[in-house]
Amino acid sequence: MNTTTILGACPHDCPDTCSLVTTVQDGVATKVQGNPDHPMTDGVLCAKVSRYTERTYHPDRLLYPMKRTGPKGSGQFARIGWDEALDTIASRLAPLIATRPEKLLPYSYAGTMGLIQGESIAMRFFNVVGAAKLDRTICSSAGGEALTQTLGGKVGMKMGMFAESKLIIIWGSNSITSNIHFWRIAQEAKRHGARLVCIDPRRSETADKCDLHLAIKPGTDAALALALMHELITHGWLDHDYIAQYTLGFDDLRERAMQWPPERAAQVCGLDVHDIRQLAHDYAHTRPAGIRLNYGVQRSRGGGNAVRAIACLPALTGAWRHPGGGVLMSATHHARANNIGLQRPDLHTNTKAPLINMSTIGDALHTPGLVEAMIVYNSNPVAVAPESAKVVSGFAREDLFTVVLEHFMTDTADYADLVLPATTQLEHWDIHNSYGHTDVVLNQPAIAPVGEAKTNTQIFRELSVRLGLDHPLLQESDEALLHTALQSPSNLNSAAPVTWDALKQHGFAHWPVADAPFAQGGFPTPSGKCEFFSERLAAMGQDPVPDYLPNHEQADSQATYPLAMISPPARNFLNSTFVNVKSLRDMEGEPLLEIHPQDAQARQVNDGDMVRVFNARGSYHCKAQVTTRAQPGMVVGLGVWWRKLGPNHTNVNELTSQLLTDMGRAPVFYDCTVQVASLR
Ligand SMILES: Nc1nc2c(c(=O)[nH]1)N[C@H]1C(S)=C(S)[C@@H](COP(=O)(O)OP(=O)(O)OC[C@H]3O[C@@H](n4cnc5c(=O)[nH]c(N)nc54)[C@H](O)[C@@H]3O)O[C@H]1N2
Ligand SMILES: Nc1nc2c(c(=O)[nH]1)N[C@H]1C(S)=C(S)[C@@H](COP(=O)(O)OP(=O)(O)OC[C@H]3O[C@@H](n4cnc5c(=O)[nH]c(N)nc54)[C@H](O)[C@@H]3O)O[C@H]1N2
Ligand code: SF4
Ligand SMILES: [Mo]
């Protein structure tokens, strides 16, 4: 028997970006484990990726190109060869590309976070063609824009430094579910005496294990942050020297914060005024204090302002001065990989190309003449995009030509004209940055492609040939692209550049980031300071100082749809990925709606009843779980199930809206009101 181990990277949209060790016996992957030598992974993977071989060799894995033989959405497909598939696509796309390439839309997100199988050849292809541009907003663009306007980019504390924090505020994150390796670090801090505070409308698994849980009303975080500032300012719990040297706009921020006494915030947030005061006191008096801010706070109308308000806090107290102090939402811009070289935006010269927001794909597909053809890869929009009814009817358009690159027959693939089988992470090369930690992780192929699967890059290379696009950059090999990824000036000119040899040998390397990156300012903003006041936001006609913006949809017992609904991730799924892996689905059970006993009783809903959750956009059937994890007036539908596995073939996005956030044009998944009725 020939047994080897191969170093890889977890490809999923998770801040942990684990380093993997895959055991291969006679060409078959038998085990995927965490790399014990990678400090962040520490030899441990989550349950999902521990079962990676079950997903890779799943009996439903797409092994061949398929063409649709039934109506769109029916899931009826027949196997065809690669030649027929590529010829069909080329013959449909060639006339479009020749006359109106801007009607071709790529739709992709983070099915893989790999820089190579994500946006390299694919992006170059759409750039050369002059296709419509996709505004990739579905996850983090509200918070990303807010961080950029405040700190200058997606930058923050180094994740490992939370081990030194004495107070950790976990704000809008269920870390045990979605950031388990951070949770391990938080536990280490706790063993050294740190207090953990969780701010979350849901009593999550993480909230259960923290010293204090503040069950805030959804979408009200900015009010809480402003009240904390009010306390810091009125008590003089400020680092005046840090503020004077490294911040911009303190007077404006003070004026705003003074409008938010804790009593006012307590009302808005549904919190006890003493808890707000105590938190402000503890935040000011504990050194170092770290805030693990996460994406939960930025999925409602005022999400950008909320992130800006929270991101201002550590500059007021000077928490940034110490390792273990500051705020971390995303570390993306600490990485120094060469995205521009990989994606080559300069190749796009079609001035007629529109920018189409992926979060309102439902509306885009109903805008006459906007989209005639779509190539979907690394994403499952029919399941994950808001207001599914519109997404589904858009994808069902007979005059729309759709190609989907996938591992499985997802809800989206069901609407494709052609489905092309893509390789998984065990079958291709890639290189990964992380949005949680600051390491770069290499993925080496462990096994040969399963069935006739091809890499995303290879599919776009072959499509380019069929379409007669003879640009040499469309034929660059994956191995060459890996080197391109390391060729950024900021890596090459760094004192400790990441080299190919180090990466190949260890499977990972560290981008150089100081333990306390903003101890002496140096924020990547235009002013070099933490911008409480943002000139750039003012220029865009926005409020230059953070404020609280109420949700689009207000939960109110008198309203037609009186309950606020949030739909955060389920522990054993990764967005809509893994829903079809039986062992993981068995752990999640079935689509559930958490509802507080008070709200259940008022509707004669018993635990375990099938319920109809509905609003003007649609209705979703699932099982009620009567639990105090939900607070009164709020229900929780853990996401994101496949529609076709749901009792009435919908999922929670049947209910979410296409309204957008205050910044970043992002969706408001957690700003949504519904009504619930028993189906008994
Ligand atoms: N197991 C698992 N891990 C995942 C994912 C997954 O689907 N499953 N998804 C991945 C992806 S794509 C992302 S973007 C990240 C997300 O990472 P996080 O943003 O950390 O995600 P969640 O665990 O959903 O944490 C969000 C928490 O915010 C809470 N929340 C909802 N609304 C509000 C609010 O208005 N204010 C506050 N304070 N809290 C609120 C929710 O109840 C939830 O507990 O996780 C990644 N990791
Ligand atoms: N209601 C609600 N909706 C949400 C969210 C929520 O919290 N609540 N979260 C939102 C967030 S944060 C995000 S990030 C989005 C995520 O939305 P998506 O990025 O669409 O994520 P997934 O649902 O994981 O779908 C990714 C697909 O890519 C495929 N894939 C993986 N690797 C490869 C590859 O190498 N090649 C190809 N061709 N395909 C591959 C997988 O099989 C999977 O079907 O969902 C959003 N939707
Ligand atoms: S999903 Fe996250 S925790 Fe699980 S293996 Fe991947 S990076 Fe690690
Ligand atoms: Mo996400």
Side-chain angles (χ1 to χ4, degrees):
M1 200 159 17
N2 177 10
T3 304
T4 50
T5 55
I6 312 287
L7 290 175
C10 176
H12 291 294
D13 190 347
C14 168
D16 298 22
T17 315
C18 290
S19 170
L20 310 179
V21 182
T22 302
T23 305
V24 180
Q25 278 177 8
D26 298 324
V28 176
T30 53
K31 228 178 359 194
V32 178
Q33 292 168 294
N35 182 357
D37 298 331
H38 181 231
M40 287 311 293
T41 307
D42 198 29
V44 181
L45 301 180
C46 63
K48 306 177 287 295
V49 175
S50 304
R51 287 180 175 68
Y52 224 61
T53 56
E54 191 180 337
R55 186 176 187 274
T56 306
Y57 298 115
H58 195 295
D60 298 340
R61 178 83 192 270
L62 280 166
L63 301 176
Y64 318 102
M66 311 278 269
K67 75 170 175 204
R68 188 165 50 79
T69 55
K72 289 199 175 190
S74 66
Q76 293 162 26
F77 284 83
R79 175 178 175 180
I80 55 172
W82 271 106
D83 279 335
E84 184 186 344
L86 292 168
D87 285 341
T88 310
I89 299 169
S91 67
R92 285 292 300 262
L93 292 186
L96 191 70
I97 289 172
T99 57
R100 46 194 196 289
E102 64 279 1
K103 308 289 178 194
L104 169 65
L105 177 69
Y107 197 103
S108 66
Y109 202 64
T112 169
M113 299 276 293
L115 301 182
I116 309 299
Q117 304 307 332
E119 305 303 340
S120 65
I121 301 291
M123 189 67 98
R124 291 178 183 184
F125 171 87
F126 292 106
N127 286 341
V128 166
V129 159
K133 295 179 181 174
L134 186 71
D135 199 6
R136 290 180 170 77
T137 56
I138 204 155
C139 171
S140 61
S141 64
E145 175 77 12
L147 280 189
T148 301
Q149 301 301 356
T150 316
L151 306 179
K154 290 179 165 182
V155 292
M157 285 174 67
K158 242 174 135 166
M159 191 177 276
M161 289 300 123
F162 278 97
E164 300 190 10
S165 306
K166 292 293 177 215
L167 172 68
I168 301 179
I169 303 181
I170 301 179
W171 202 326
S173 173
N174 184 4
S175 315
I176 293 180
T177 278
S178 61
N179 191 188
I180 185 72
H181 294 81
F182 161 77
W183 181 250
R184 177 179 58 77
I185 294 165
Q187 294 310 292
E188 190 183 327
K190 192 170 177 170
R191 280 194 297 277
H192 295 122
R195 278 189 84 230
L196 307 189
V197 177
C198 178
I199 303 176
D200 196 313
R202 175 176 184 250
R203 187 170 54 76
S204 65
E205 299 81 340
T206 305
D208 277 337
K209 297 219 160 75
C210 285
D211 299 290
L212 175 68
H213 171 214
L214 298 183
I216 193 168
K217 285 191 191 160
T220 64
D221 300 274
L224 174 58
L226 286 161
L228 295 177
M229 290 178 201
H230 181 281
E231 289 299 280
L232 300 178
I233 292 167
T234 51
H235 291 94
W237 297 331
L238 298 169
D239 184 333
H240 292 286
D241 178 58
Y242 195 94
I243 292 170
Q245 287 198 66
Y246 308 127
T247 73
L248 193 74
F250 175 67
D251 291 341
D252 298 284
L253 186 67
R254 179 177 50 203
E255 196 181 311
R256 182 61 50 80
M258 292 323 283
Q259 299 166 12
W260 283 95
E263 290 76 10
R264 182 179 174 202
Q267 276 273 315
V268 169
C269 304
L271 296 174
D272 186 325
V273 67
H274 302 293
D275 284 340
I276 299 178
R277 290 220 171 87
Q278 187 66 45
L279 182 62
H281 175 275
D282 294 350
Y283 182 67
H285 291 89
T286 317
R287 298 252 140 70
I291 301 176
R292 177 61 174 131
L293 175 57
N294 228 320
Y295 290 109
V297 299
Q298 49 101 68
R299 302 201 202 288
S300 46
R301 175 180 168 228
N305 268 277
V307 168
R308 254 174 69 62
I310 296 165
C312 290
L313 290 167
L316 290 171
T317 60
W320 286 116
R321 290 188 191 272
H322 320 280
V327 59
L328 173 65
M329 176 152 181
S330 167
T332 296
H333 293 148
H334 285 302
R336 299 176 180 217
N338 186 9
N339 283 313
I340 288 177
L342 290 173
Q343 302 179 5
R344 295 300 299 263
D346 58 301
L347 298 174
H348 199 299
T349 55
N350 180 5
T351 50
K352 285 196 238 152
L355 180 66
I356 297 181
N357 190 341
M358 70 187 307
S359 301
T360 49
I361 187 66
D363 282 346
L365 291 177
H366 289 284
T367 305
L370 187 60
V371 183
E372 293 185 31
M374 209 173 2
I375 303 182
V376 181
Y377 52 103
N378 303 337
S379 186
N380 184 10
V382 170
V384 305
E387 203 175 356
S388 310
K390 287 200 180 149
V391 182
V392 167
S393 58
F395 268 87
R397 265 174 43 197
E398 277 306 325
D399 63 332
L400 181 73
F401 178 67
T402 308
V403 178
V404 174
L405 283 57
E406 251 302 346
H407 299 149
F408 293 101
M409 245 2 212
T410 58
D411 288 332
T412 305
D414 282 346
Y415 288 86
D417 293 281
L418 289 127
V419 180
L420 305 178
T423 47
T424 70
Q425 191 77 345
L426 300 189
E427 300 150 59
H428 55 227
W429 282 102
D430 221 324
I431 185 167
H432 290 253
N433 286 325
S434 172
Y435 61 99
H437 58 68
T438 46
D439 300 338
V440 49
V441 189
L442 181 70
N443 186 71
Q444 312 195 31
I447 57 171
V450 172
E452 293 182 5
K454 292 183 197 268
T455 58
N456 289 345
T457 45
Q458 184 61 16
I459 294 171
F460 282 102
R461 282 191 284 260
E462 294 188 15
L463 204 51
S464 303
V465 172
R466 303 273 164 152
L467 285 164
L469 306 169
D470 58 4
H471 204 297
L473 283 169
L474 296 175
Q475 296 304 323
E476 202 169 327
S477 70
D478 288 4
E479 286 88 334
L481 289 165
L482 293 168
H483 290 276
T484 302
L486 297 177
Q487 295 296 316
S488 82
S490 68
N491 181 40
L492 296 176
N493 299 335
S494 139
V498 167
T499 63
W500 172 250
D501 290 340
L503 204 50
K504 186 88 192 293
Q505 189 187 344
H506 303 289
F508 63 90
H510 309 292
W511 295 116
V513 182
D515 286 349
F518 306 118
Q520 291 163 314
F523 294 95
T525 49
S527 64
K529 298 180 174 187
C530 173
E531 298 195 349
F532 300 148
F533 181 98
S534 166
E535 207 64 76
R536 288 183 292 180
L537 282 176
M540 290 185 242
Q542 297 217 39
D543 192 338
V545 182
D547 203 355
Y548 160 66
L549 295 173
N551 277 1
H552 288 295
E553 299 190 355
Q554 292 285 324
D556 169 354
S557 59
Q558 303 307 310
T560 316
Y561 305 112
L563 300 168
M565 184 189 79
I566 60 169
S567 49
R571 182 166 187 177
N572 294 295
F573 303 149
L574 202 303
N575 299 322
S576 77
T577 303
F578 296 107
V579 178
N580 63 327
V581 174
K582 191 168 178 312
S583 65
L584 294 168
R585 189 168 69 239
D586 287 348
M587 284 194 255
E588 289 297 327
E590 57 194 308
L592 293 174
L593 186 82
E594 295 175 349
I595 182 165
H596 190 272
Q598 224 167 285
D599 292 319
Q601 200 182 17
R603 292 167 179 75
Q604 279 122 43
V605 168
N606 297 326
D607 189 52
D609 279 0
M610 288 302 292
V611 287
R612 186 165 69 95
V613 192
F614 61 99
N615 59 22
R617 291 176 287 271
S619 93
Y620 165 53
H621 294 185
C622 62
K623 190 178 265 190
Q625 192 166 49
V626 178
T627 166
T628 54
R629 288 206 182 282
Q631 53 170 287
M634 180 196 85
V635 292
V636 185
L638 292 182
V640 180
W641 283 77
W642 285 17
R643 287 169 61 84
K644 55 178 144 187
L645 298 174
N648 69 334
H649 301 295
T650 59
N651 70 15
V652 77
N653 280 322
E654 195 74 9
L655 306 168
T656 53
S657 78
Q658 293 183 77
L659 295 169
L660 299 175
T661 50
D662 52 351
M663 289 175 208
R665 307 164 305 281
V668 293
F669 289 116
Y670 307 164
D671 176 349
C672 169
T673 56
V674 299
Q675 180 57 293
V676 177
S678 177
L679 284 171
R680 212 167 358 112

